[in-house]
Amino acid sequence: MHFSKKCSVFKVVLSALLIVALLQLLYLSFLSKLHGKQQRYKYSELFGSKKTANQGEKNPRREHLRYSLSTGGIFDGSGQYRVYKNLIKSDFSTNQKPGADPRSHHLALATHTTINNLHHLSSLLERWQNPLSVAIFANGQDVKFATAFVYALSIFCPQVQALVDFHLVCHSGEMASFPDQDREHFAGLEEMGCSGIFAKLKSHRDKYKNYAIGSNVSYPNNLLRNVARSGTDAAYILVIDIDMIPSANLHHQFVTMLMRREPAADEVLVLPAFEIRHTRKMPATKSELVQLYQVGEVRPFYDELCPRCQAPTNYSQWVNLASKSSGPLEVAYTINWADPWEPFYIGARTVSLYDENFRQYGFNRISQACELHIAGYRFSVVSNAFVVHKGFKVQGEFHSRKDEENRKNRILFRSFKESLKAKYPNSPRHC
């Protein structure tokens, strides 16, 4: 009898546990369906068509993107590329408030990349923290990928939303479209947040190098530089590659400098360019940079591949200036341009554009510096600002067709120099 009672109690407890387990399974199933429904709703809000999105809440970024894409972009001068300028506009560009300090838009940074290097934008923006114009080249499926991800960055990353203008370049035979049918690729973006989106972009980085996109695909670096430059209204522009970082507080230093003196109409302000070992933290100030330079952890940009390309900067003179990281930004010394110098500089938006015939590797920046020289510009090196490339440039890391492209562009550079004689017939200078 006692055993029978125990058995009955056990059965009751077991039945109760089974009922609880069943209820939990039903609850989890309900939550899963609810989460899926919320995900679909969030996706339709973010990327969905006007029919599926909430008509009561306008998403101005989505509508601007739709409009930009609906224009079909414009063709570049060669007719080989389609350009979507201002595909995504920053709050800074869209909402210039009346009475705002006009100096805040005196200097913008312009850069270019493919989607596989876009993850560098995170560290670049963290350091720069001011208006930034980014031109992205995409090919094939990456056109859709780039469109979705720059839109997601502009939605979920407050600094990107505030400061970054995106422009998209693809082949003329391709068209960008709104990513409203790619839920399996992009529905989780709102869960990732800003850091998660950059992490996903970083996982895409090894797909190819900028100059090795495909056997018949040329990276139009100078077209991208011009698109990024023209995509900002700033009076002065600094053009760098996306895997470079400027020194800290450069924007503030430059704006303060403008209060004392503006660059002459025929003057550009050169920022010495360095490269740093991959394992080292990016220096913020000149004193930090010099310490790393003295122990070989930082060296002149292209020091191994083309030391002549940066030698006119006169690194020893710059490093030994009395001014370290303290003191205002000022012109330290002025240099005459010499072939094949390709400096990074702050210049007025009126300086010559880059020649878009140069693509892939070789002579794309030298050609523009050469034209500035013939046009009569002087190159003034600033005292305590600089740019640094992430990682040492070494021979073995380049794509296989680098030397072939360099030879081809060398021939193009010769004809380019001949064209400058006709463009500047009264110039006593030559390249």
Side-chain angles (χ1 to χ4, degrees), residues 257-416:
M257 178 184 182
L258 290 179
M259 296 178 183
R260 304 189 309 274
R261 74 177 288 274
E262 289 197 24
D266 60 352
E267 180 183 30
V268 294
L269 303 179
V270 174
L271 279 62
F274 297 85
E275 54 190 37
I276 188 170
R277 198 178 298 278
H278 276 292
T279 54
R280 285 292 189 171
K281 180 182 176 183
M282 281 286 183
T285 64
K286 183 175 180 179
S287 60
E288 292 177 3
L289 179 107
V290 169
Q291 287 177 7
L292 292 168
Y293 182 84
Q294 289 171 340
V295 296
E297 297 297 285
V298 161
R299 66 187 187 185
F301 187 58
Y302 259 50
D303 190 51
E304 179 178 325
L305 299 175
C306 182
R308 292 174 58 239
C309 292
Q310 296 296 328
T313 303
N314 198 338
Y315 287 92
S316 59
Q317 180 177 353
W318 188 82
V319 166
N320 291 311
L321 289 172
S323 173
K324 297 294 183 184
S325 60
S326 60
L329 188 68
E330 56 190 19
V331 170
Y333 49 91
T334 299
I335 301 174
N336 291 324
W337 184 84
D339 187 23
W341 192 26
E342 45 181 17
F344 294 93
Y345 62 83
I346 294 171
R349 63 180 301 105
T350 53
V351 302
S352 306
L353 293 173
Y354 296 84
D355 189 286
E356 295 174 6
N357 291 307
F358 290 92
R359 300 168 192 166
Q360 290 293 106
Y361 185 87
F363 295 91
N364 46 81
R365 288 195 303 109
I366 296 174
S367 55
Q368 200 251 7
C370 164
E371 178 166 359
L372 292 185
H373 170 66
I374 291 182
Y377 279 80
R378 64 180 188 268
F379 296 80
S380 299
V381 181
V382 295
S383 56
N384 54 12
F386 53 87
V387 294
V388 183
H389 176 269
K390 298 177 183 178
F392 284 170
K393 290 275 191 180
V394 296
Q395 193 68 248
E397 292 184 356
F398 278 86
H399 59 295
S400 60
R401 297 179 61 185
K402 166 183 169 288
D403 292 339
E404 176 189 340
E405 293 162 3
N406 204 41
R407 285 192 295 270
K408 180 180 177 181
N409 280 338
R410 186 185 299 278
I411 295 170
L412 181 60
F413 184 52
R414 289 173 188 153
S415 62
F416 173 77

Side-chain angles (χ1 to χ4, degrees), residues 35 47 94 100 135 156 206 349:
H35 179 70
F47 293 115
T94 306
F156 297 115
D206 294 327
R349 63 180 301 105

Side-chain angles (χ1 to χ4, degrees), residues 47 115 138-150 168 170 175-182 184-186:
F47 293 115
I115 195 70
N139 174 64
Q141 287 298 310
D142 278 355
V143 176
K144 183 164 53 178
F145 189 89
T147 305
F149 270 81
V150 297
L168 180 65
C170 58
M175 291 189 71
S177 60
F178 203 84
D180 47 13
Q181 300 299 320
D182 293 314
E184 69 278 10
H185 290 121
F186 307 117

Side-chain angles (χ1 to χ4, degrees), residues 5-286:
K5 285 184 178 179
K6 278 188 174 181
C7 212
S8 298
V9 170
F10 176 76
K11 287 180 179 178
V12 170
V13 172
L14 182 61
S15 298
L17 288 173
L18 287 172
I19 291 171
V20 170
L22 181 62
L23 289 173
Q24 285 180 329
L25 286 173
L26 289 171
Y27 180 66
L28 290 173
S29 176
F30 170 76
L31 287 180
S32 178
K33 289 180 180 179
L34 179 62
H35 179 70
K37 187 175 181 180
Q38 288 175 334
Q39 287 287 84
R40 289 191 293 274
Y41 176 76
K42 286 180 179 179
Y43 185 86
S44 68
E45 283 297 290
L46 184 61
F47 293 115
S49 65
K50 292 180 180 178
K51 292 181 181 178
T52 58
N54 186 345
Q55 295 296 310
E57 295 181 16
K58 285 287 186 180
N59 182 331
R61 290 184 178 279
R62 183 178 62 210
E63 298 310 311
H64 174 80
L65 177 60
R66 284 189 177 280
Y67 173 77
S68 297
L69 294 170
S70 71
T71 66
I74 57 173
F75 290 153
D76 76 317
S78 72
Q80 297 180 42
Y81 297 96
R82 188 185 300 271
V83 179
Y84 294 90
K85 193 175 291 186
N86 291 313
L87 186 70
I88 300 288
K89 294 191 74 173
S90 66
D91 290 343
F92 186 91
S93 296
T94 306
N95 304 317
Q96 283 289 325
K97 296 180 180 179
D101 186 351
R103 292 172 300 170
S104 64
H105 207 197
H106 268 173
L107 177 62
L109 193 152
T111 190
H112 61 99
T113 184
T114 53
I115 195 70
N116 65 309
N117 270 336
L118 187 57
H119 64 277
H120 288 298
L121 176 64
S122 177
S123 54
L124 177 58
L125 187 57
E126 182 181 357
R127 171 64 62 86
W128 180 241
Q129 297 184 2
N130 279 285
L132 206 163
S133 178
V134 183
I136 301 171
F137 175 67
N139 174 64
Q141 287 298 310
D142 278 355
V143 176
K144 183 164 53 178
F145 189 89
T147 305
F149 270 81
V150 297
Y151 176 53
L153 287 172
S154 75
I155 293 292
F156 297 115
C157 300
Q159 271 203 313
V160 173
Q161 185 178 112
L163 297 169
V164 182
D165 295 321
F166 288 107
H167 323 281
L168 180 65
V169 176
C170 58
H171 285 111
S172 57
E174 299 174 326
M175 291 189 71
S177 60
F178 203 84
D180 47 13
Q181 300 299 320
D182 293 314
R183 184 176 301 154
E184 69 278 10
H185 290 121
F186 307 117
L189 293 180
E190 68 276 359
E191 299 297 324
M192 296 179 186
C194 184
S195 60
I197 296 171
F198 274 116
K200 190 170 179 68
L201 282 168
K202 196 169 185 180
S203 70
H204 198 68
R205 65 182 173 177
D206 294 327
K207 183 177 178 183
Y208 49 73
K209 296 179 181 179
N210 274 356
Y211 294 129
I213 302 170
S215 57
N216 296 313
V217 181
S218 295
Y219 182 70
N221 33 37
N222 276 359
L223 169 61
L224 293 166
R225 289 182 176 110
N226 288 341
V227 169
R229 270 184 50 174
S230 63
T232 174
D233 295 327
Y236 295 93
I237 304 169
L238 168 62
V239 181
I240 60 174
D241 298 337
I242 201 166
D243 54 359
M244 303 186 88
I245 298 284
S247 50
N249 300 317
L250 172 58
H251 187 276
H252 174 73
Q253 286 180 312
F254 179 74
V255 170
T256 304
M257 178 184 182
L258 290 179
M259 296 178 183
R260 304 189 309 274
R261 74 177 288 274
E262 289 197 24
D266 60 352
E267 180 183 30
V268 294
L269 303 179
V270 174
L271 279 62
F274 297 85
E275 54 190 37
I276 188 170
R277 198 178 298 278
H278 276 292
T279 54
R280 285 292 189 171
K281 180 182 176 183
M282 281 286 183
T285 64
K286 183 175 180 179

